Amino acid sequence: MKVPKILVVGSLAMDMVYSTSKVPGEGETVKNGLSFVLAPGGKGANQAVQSAKLGVNVTMVGKVGNDMFGDQLVKTIQDAGIDSDGILRDETCPSAVSCIILEVIPGKKNQNRILVVPGANMSLTVEDIYFLKEKISNFDLVILQLEIPLEVNRKIIEFAYAKGIPVMLNSAPYESLDDDILSKLTYISPNEYEAYGLTGVKFISEDGSVDTEKLMLAAQILLNKGVKNVIITLGSNGAAFMNKDTFIVRPCVDTVEVIDPTAAGDSFTGAFCSAVCMGMDAEEALDFASYTAALTVSRMGAITSLPTMEEVKGLIMKDNYSRI
């Protein structure tokens, strides 16, 4: 079987992960820290490494600083077997960093808060990626996020659209998107908060349940703007998929304990894209991505938590799931 080729254009960042039993309030200092981990991440890097760990041939394009963190980030990408020739160095801007505070309370699911200092990610320019104008036709799918300049994403989308190459935009963190961008997307994958920002439709009820009719309305708004397929991740409520022919909601895989949800969305996105490139249908791809993300949240860190194909298959078999 032909190995799929995915291009990821996006962010790389060094994650500083703090776990604590109490998050400090304004002006407050607490001594409740439990652990500290320094780990490579960034949404683009996470999605690239997840796809590579699932057996996809991945190329990554992005920018890091000419510093120690940049060295570590590039090495992490290379160690995953990803083509890193398109990762550039900025001589004046430092590599991006993320501060992740993980709140650990016994008896509750761990919650995280993330502050990103974008650094060199936001110094990536249209000129930097112009070499992809023709090369983009060599790929089966392109993955983008919103941690690099929007004009860079717009140009990549234009290049891919002109060549008929599918594009997945993981619309995180939230940013307003115009109809020109949306109309050229094959896939978009907001979470519940980003979907609300993009559509103005709130579909999570006060009790945490999903209002299915409003969920469909939110997805339909994006379809009406020209997106071909809408995936909305719903946290513990699972994930939804909708296009002009199909509406599917699949439950969350909850067979593992949640330790660190940091890279869950990136793991899901990388796995979903890998699955569709391997020929899975929408429902199979949703379930495959959910199993992959379930393993990710059962471990600490971002890239360090991402599972291999063998591990995902093992969890699927353990759960007696038969569709994939």
Side-chain angles (χ1 to χ4, degrees), residues 292-320:
T292 305
L295 281 170
T296 297
V297 302
S298 71
R299 306 161 176 172
M300 282 292 293
I303 284 177
T304 54
S305 70
L306 302 173
T308 63
M309 177 63 87
E310 290 71 24
E311 290 173 316
V312 177
K313 285 182 176 178
L315 181 60
I316 289 171
M317 290 178 64
K318 183 179 178 182
D319 208 29
N320 294 317

Side-chain angles (χ1 to χ4, degrees), residues 241-262:
F241 174 93
M242 187 170 176
N243 61 21
K244 64 181 180 63
D245 301 314
T246 306
F247 175 71
I248 304 166
V249 178
R250 298 297 293 161
C252 176
V253 175
D254 59 359
T255 57
V256 297
E257 181 185 1
V258 176
I259 301 298
D260 179 5
T262 300

Side-chain angles (χ1 to χ4, degrees), residues 26-68:
E26 183 178 350
E28 181 183 15
T29 299
V30 299
K31 297 190 295 182
N32 299 68
L34 303 173
S35 66
F36 171 75
V37 176
L38 191 66
K43 294 188 70 63
N46 294 342
Q47 292 168 14
V49 173
Q50 182 62 88
S51 299
K53 283 193 167 187
L54 296 172
V56 174
N57 186 326
V58 181
T59 294
M60 178 151 196
V61 173
K63 187 174 277 191
V64 297
N66 191 16
D67 51 31
M68 177 181 67

Side-chain angles (χ1 to χ4, degrees), residues 49-315:
V49 173
Q50 182 62 88
S51 299
K53 283 193 167 187
L54 296 172
V56 174
N57 186 326
V58 181
T59 294
M60 178 151 196
V61 173
K63 187 174 277 191
V64 297
N66 191 16
D67 51 31
M68 177 181 67
F69 286 167
D71 294 341
Q72 290 177 267
L73 289 164
V74 172
K75 184 178 185 302
T76 298
I77 292 299
Q78 292 171 341
D79 288 349
I82 296 168
D83 183 342
S84 65
D85 290 348
I87 300 178
L88 308 175
R89 296 279 191 157
D90 192 304
E91 297 296 328
T92 60
C93 196
S95 298
V97 294
S98 299
C99 173
I100 301 169
I101 299 177
L102 184 65
E103 187 176 18
V104 180
I105 300 175
K108 295 185 178 181
K109 285 192 174 181
N110 295 349
Q111 300 292 325
N112 62 1
R113 296 165 174 83
I114 303 175
L115 170 66
V116 177
V117 180
N121 286 327
M122 292 305 290
S123 70
L124 189 67
T125 67
V126 170
E127 290 72 23
D128 289 335
I129 55 87
Y130 223 88
F131 73 96
L132 291 169
K133 183 175 182 179
E134 298 302 325
K135 286 188 176 182
I136 208 163
S137 60
N138 296 330
F139 299 95
D140 297 302
L141 185 141
V142 178
I143 302 178
L144 302 171
Q145 326 79 35
L146 295 175
E147 288 186 333
I148 59 174
L150 189 60
E151 60 266 26
V152 173
N153 277 329
R154 184 187 301 276
K155 186 58 67 174
I156 293 291
I157 291 167
E158 288 178 6
F159 290 165
Y161 189 76
K163 299 292 186 180
I165 305 301
V167 175
M168 159 68 86
L169 176 61
N170 176 223
S171 50
Y174 170 72
E175 186 170 346
S176 179
L177 300 172
D178 60 53
D179 290 358
D180 181 60
I181 286 178
L182 292 170
S183 67
K184 294 181 173 69
L185 297 178
T186 315
Y187 302 95
I188 192 169
S189 61
N191 65 19
E192 60 199 75
Y193 306 106
E194 295 144 9
Y196 173 69
L198 291 169
T199 67
V201 178
K202 186 174 183 179
F203 46 79
I204 302 295
S205 303
E206 292 297 325
D207 62 0
S209 64
V210 177
D211 184 322
T212 304
E213 288 189 8
K214 290 183 178 178
L215 175 62
M216 290 181 68
L217 175 60
Q220 188 62 57
I221 288 172
L222 293 170
L223 293 175
N224 291 345
K225 292 178 179 292
V227 182
K228 303 299 183 294
N229 304 276
V230 177
I231 303 102
I232 300 178
T233 56
L234 304 167
S236 59
N237 289 305
F241 174 93
M242 187 170 176
N243 61 21
K244 64 181 180 63
D245 301 314
T246 306
F247 175 71
I248 304 166
V249 178
R250 298 297 293 161
C252 176
V253 175
D254 59 359
T255 57
V256 297
E257 181 185 1
V258 176
I259 301 298
D260 179 5
T262 300
D266 298 331
S267 177
F268 183 96
T269 298
F272 181 90
C273 291
S274 299
V276 295
C277 286
M278 293 173 187
M280 295 186 202
D281 64 28
E283 185 169 351
E284 291 168 340
L286 279 183
D287 289 341
F288 178 79
S290 293
Y291 276 103
T292 305
L295 281 170
T296 297
V297 302
S298 71
R299 306 161 176 172
M300 282 292 293
I303 284 177
T304 54
S305 70
L306 302 173
T308 63
M309 177 63 87
E310 290 71 24
E311 290 173 316
V312 177
K313 285 182 176 178
L315 181 60

